[in-house]
Amino acid sequence: MSLNSCIQCGTCIASCPSGRITALNTRRIIAEFISSGKKVEERDEIWFCVTCYACQERCPRGIEITDTLIEARRTLVRNKGLPGRLGYAFTFLMNHAALVPAREEHVELRRKLGLPIYHAQFDEKAKEEVRRIVEKHAGSVVRWSSSPAA
Amino acid sequence: MEFFPGCMIHNRYPGIEKSIYYVFSVLGIEISPLEGSSCCPAPSITKSVSEEMWREIAERNLNLSDETIMTACNGCFTTLLEVGSEIGKDVRHFAEFLYRDVGIEEIRKKVSKKLNLRLAAHYGCHFFRPAEKKGVDSAERPKILDELIKAIGAESVNYRTKNMCCGGGGGVRAAATEVARELLEMKLEGLKEAEVDAIVVICPLCLFQFDTGQKELEKEGKVFGIPAIHYAQLLAIAMGMDVDEAGFEAHEIITQELYEKLLMGES
Ligand code: SF4
Ligand code: SF4
């Protein structure tokens, strides 16, 4: 369903955990899109969405609110880079095949528990395969976002 | 069946994996590690950068095996289930598999140490949402985890913020940590009133948010001291696994009281 079918009932914002404490207001985002054409991807507050999907599931018009925010983020990322520590997370994905890579202490605990160490982070061939995929789709954004100047 | 650990279980909470192997051996179900698997990758934040990247990394993981792929993380479950359904792969979440395929009766039979605890169930948004893609449990009135908790002899306590998100998803923990922390505090306020022994999760990212997040709140002088554990750890212990095999070294918040109750079982 397109954003234009919104009836401004407010169910989405009433369901939104982030909306209670941040500037994120899905009902208003949609209202201003309809009335003045303000684009969703021009709003930094969409990074406050925890993607719980409560709004999308409860919207009586079946508007794909959460998915709309995620899609808008892609444009935000291309224009402004990744916010906060997200730049590092994707550098890890590119270099270690893991958004959350292991450090020595985590490897130690696996050994202690008698568990094998088999994540792609520890497999050169697998790691290279993942690195290529990240490089292809997001290499420049990742380098830009994690550089000290960003 | 092959186990897909994802980053959070392989690289942060290996005790969950240890517990899952224990549970499956008790149940007589074969499961082996999915070697060479990478980050799933995490659905919301990866899609926030590139949907193609998300799909291609997921496909690489899914194509490592022709067997059923088992996850114990709501994020991995979301990614692998959504992409897997497009390319004909069978993907399961530990909790819904236990409930639907093994069954509460069978679990109850295999429990050798009843754990008489007051527990707070936290499902995690991505266990059942978006519903049309998941189809595992009702998002408004879920019951799977509550039933699983009762199966080990514990009480699933109702609490004011039960349906609330942990606040750690969607990249918010990394993009705006203070927002994640504030949401967690709201969630914990409701939990505190219920006076539970622990929060039970079925996702290591929720676990990380509850556990590390509480540690961060403590630095601001806000002490809750409510341990968070994955249901797999709890079930394995109830089935007789040594408590010290559950990998609690990786948890910031584990109370002596909980540890002793897990050790002793129902007295
Ligand atoms: S719930 Fe749907 S119809 Fe209601 S205000 Fe939000 S987007 Fe509009
Ligand atoms: S998905 Fe995002 S916008 Fe929708 S209710 Fe959850 S936090 Fe709010």
Side-chain angles (χ1 to χ4, degrees):
Chain A
M1 267 294 181
S2 97
L3 298 187
N4 288 311
S5 66
C6 170
I7 51 170
Q8 288 290 302
C9 67
T11 305
C12 52
I13 185 64
S15 307
C16 181
S18 294
R20 289 162 69 179
I21 58 163
T22 71
L24 179 66
N25 184 328
T26 46
R27 189 194 58 79
R28 191 178 310 141
I29 287 175
I30 295 169
E32 291 179 9
F33 171 80
I34 294 169
S35 67
S36 64
K38 180 161 181 173
K39 292 193 178 113
V40 184
E41 61 258 34
E42 285 165 13
R43 295 173 174 275
D44 291 320
E45 72 264 28
I46 60 177
W47 284 112
F48 297 144
C49 168
V50 291
T51 70
C52 70
Y53 280 92
C55 54
Q56 178 161 326
E57 299 260 297
R58 291 178 187 160
C59 171
R61 303 293 293 160
I63 297 172
E64 293 175 334
I65 308 167
T66 317
D67 291 331
T68 301
L69 299 185
I70 291 173
E71 193 187 325
R73 283 176 174 187
R74 293 200 279 270
T75 310
L76 249 184
V77 169
R78 276 196 301 279
N79 293 336
K80 295 185 172 180
L82 288 153
R85 288 183 283 115
L86 270 182
Y88 297 113
F90 282 95
T91 308
F92 292 148
L93 184 64
M94 186 149 76
N95 296 337
H96 304 288
L99 280 164
V100 184
R103 295 187 299 267
E104 191 47 39
E105 75 220 63
H106 308 117
V107 176
E108 259 322 298
L109 182 54
R110 292 192 68 84
R111 284 208 188 93
K112 193 185 148 204
L113 293 173
L115 291 166
I117 290 149
Y118 60 95
H119 188 287
Q121 184 186 349
F122 302 93
D123 176 332
E124 289 306 321
K125 182 175 158 281
K127 196 161 71 175
E128 180 57 21
E129 284 170 12
V130 175
R131 197 195 61 75
R132 277 208 202 107
I133 299 173
V134 180
E135 179 64 54
K136 179 167 72 179
H137 297 291
S140 54
V141 142
V142 170
R143 269 188 295 277
W144 172 41
S145 299
S146 57
S147 68
Chain B
M1 215 178 276
E2 303 218 57
F3 181 65
F4 181 90
C7 306
M8 289 305 296
I9 293 181
H10 190 283
N11 293 345
R12 285 295 178 277
Y13 298 113
I16 299 173
E17 185 172 350
K18 183 82 184 174
S19 303
I20 286 172
Y21 294 152
Y22 187 91
V23 168
F24 275 74
S25 76
V26 171
L27 294 172
I29 303 170
E30 266 189 55
I31 188 160
S32 55
L34 185 56
E35 287 175 17
S37 57
S38 69
C39 180
C40 56
S44 303
I45 73 168
T46 310
K47 283 191 211 170
S48 295
V49 177
S50 160
E51 188 155 4
E52 294 77 28
M53 171 166 71
W54 170 73
R55 183 168 286 106
E56 208 173 320
I57 297 176
E59 279 181 9
R60 186 196 156 275
N61 282 322
L62 288 158
N63 286 329
L64 292 171
S65 173
D66 288 327
E67 294 178 30
T68 293
I69 294 176
M70 178 66 60
T71 72
C73 168
N74 293 349
C76 297
F77 183 48
T78 299
T79 288
L80 298 178
L81 184 75
E82 285 185 18
V83 179
S85 72
E86 292 170 8
I87 60 169
K89 298 282 182 177
D90 189 29
V91 177
R92 305 297 301 266
H93 186 296
F94 179 68
E96 56 86 20
F97 174 80
L98 282 177
Y99 183 80
R100 301 201 287 194
D101 290 35
V102 178
I104 295 295
E105 258 328 296
E106 180 67 11
I107 295 169
R108 209 174 265 138
K109 274 188 223 150
K110 296 277 160 55
V111 166
S112 52
K113 178 162 84 175
K114 278 195 177 173
L115 298 172
N116 186 15
L117 303 165
R118 284 175 58 81
L119 299 172
H122 174 81
Y123 287 81
C125 311
H126 294 164
F127 180 60
F128 37 55
R129 287 193 180 117
E132 93 271 10
K133 285 176 182 154
K134 294 281 174 24
V136 298
D137 201 348
S138 155
E140 304 293 345
R141 286 174 169 276
K143 63 169 192 291
I144 289 182
L145 183 55
D146 295 271
E147 293 296 322
L148 289 172
I149 285 172
K150 285 184 223 155
I152 57 159
E155 183 188 351
S156 182
V157 180
N158 251 320
Y159 60 101
R160 183 166 54 81
T161 49
K162 186 168 179 182
N163 292 330
M164 194 192 154
C165 171
C166 69
V172 172
R173 254 199 83 84
T177 314
E178 67 291 351
V179 173
R181 215 159 34 233
E182 207 173 318
L183 289 170
L184 176 65
E185 195 183 339
M186 280 164 60
K187 174 91 189 179
L188 291 168
E189 288 292 348
L191 270 156
K192 194 166 78 179
E193 296 158 11
E195 296 180 354
V196 292
D197 291 302
I199 309 158
V200 182
V201 300
I202 46 179
C203 172
L205 193 74
C206 298
L207 177 52
F208 185 72
Q209 163 76 348
F210 280 120
D211 193 56
T212 308
Q214 279 191 76
K215 190 81 186 166
E216 290 162 4
L217 284 169
E218 283 181 6
K219 289 187 192 132
E220 299 172 12
K222 294 163 181 160
V223 181
F224 289 93
I226 312 172
I229 47 181
H230 193 288
Y231 182 74
Q233 294 168 299
L234 205 59
L235 180 60
I237 292 168
M239 286 179 165
M241 188 180 80
D242 191 328
V243 179
D244 291 329
E245 303 262 275
F248 289 136
E249 297 95 316
H251 298 228
E252 299 278 0
I253 318 274
I254 286 289
T255 59
Q256 185 63 25
E257 198 188 336
L258 175 68
Y259 184 80
E260 279 166 17
K261 283 184 182 175
L262 291 174
L263 220 51
M264 308 288 291
E266 199 171 56
S267 48

